[in-house]
Amino acid sequence: MSQRTQTGLQFSELEESVIRHSGWSNPDEYPESLFHYTSSAAFLNIIQSGELWFSDFRYMNDLSELTYGAKLFRQIIEDQSSTLTDSDESHILLVTLQEIEQAKSATDIFVFCMCEENNLLNQWRVYGKDTVPISIEFATRGFMFVNWSPNDFDLVPMVYHASKQTEIVNNVIEGGLEYFRHHRKYILANHQSQVDFSQKFASLCIDCCSTMKHPQFEVEKEWRLAVRWPPGPRYLRGQNYRASPIGIVPYLKARPDDQNMPDRLPIKSVTIGPCAHPEIQRQTIHDILYQHNMADKEVHMSDLPIRV
């Protein structure tokens, strides 16, 4: 059981209320496999190092990362606060909205992106610029039931449908208000207790924002491993940096920390994207996997008729 704050509030109960109301996907319904599309160079790094790299979300291809969901929260909170008959509830929602706006710019999220489907044309085109693209099939439960080091992460499906996004935001707000109603006396006791509550509630709302994307990105069918760090000086956090076509990108490393999976990732198979010399590439990938004790992993070739 988590510790109470100095104001007597216990925020594990708030988190449970928000999650219970949110209606996020049930882990029992997650797909058995998820696919990570990447370049040949990044594939080699994953196999040779046994690590996954989590990139700073601000460098993703969606320019509305986080702000898309935050805008939806603003719209719904403003609508609700203007119609609520309980002035205390209206007040605490508006205070939380201010905290969401501040957290939006201060929050650091690092993500490792995957996809529900293999051999997608749009993904080969994205990752096949000036290189042979590769898709790595991961066992989903290898992320859910294995300890990882040094950072823990959440596995989340991205939500693209506007109606589902609105439903989740409404439910999250209701979860926060339910907690507020049960602990109104403590939360309204003084200014600091209101700040404590609104900051924690805003943090849970930001977590929700990080799972929402503009409907135009639905074709990506994206899932994410996500690590969120609390606000603080970015240069003190031990992240690494890599060069990319869009500049220098901060990233974190993670690897399995489990005796049953020493230095192994939950890889099931590898698919080589469209390329000029498919059979030569297949043999080369087989050799690489063999050298790293993964000779049992299947290697497939994309059958999409794309000119390379």
Side-chain angles (χ1 to χ4, degrees), residues 54-120:
F54 290 65
S55 297
D56 189 319
F57 80 103
R58 289 168 296 205
Y59 290 83
M60 298 294 102
N61 61 348
D62 181 359
L63 298 178
S64 65
E65 287 279 352
L66 213 60
T67 61
Y68 177 86
K71 182 178 180 181
L72 184 57
F73 265 98
R74 167 173 285 280
Q75 174 188 331
I76 293 177
I77 286 177
E78 288 179 342
D79 289 345
Q80 288 198 17
S81 63
S82 65
T83 57
L84 284 169
T85 57
D86 188 319
S87 60
D88 289 339
E89 291 184 11
S90 177
H91 166 73
I92 206 66
L93 282 183
L94 291 176
V95 173
T96 299
L97 180 56
Q98 293 176 357
E99 295 293 342
I100 291 174
E101 291 298 323
Q102 293 181 23
K104 183 177 65 176
S105 59
T107 298
D108 284 322
I109 299 176
F110 291 81
V111 299
F112 180 80
C113 300
M114 293 176 289
C115 179
E116 284 187 17
E117 292 188 16
N118 193 20
N119 199 28
L120 289 180

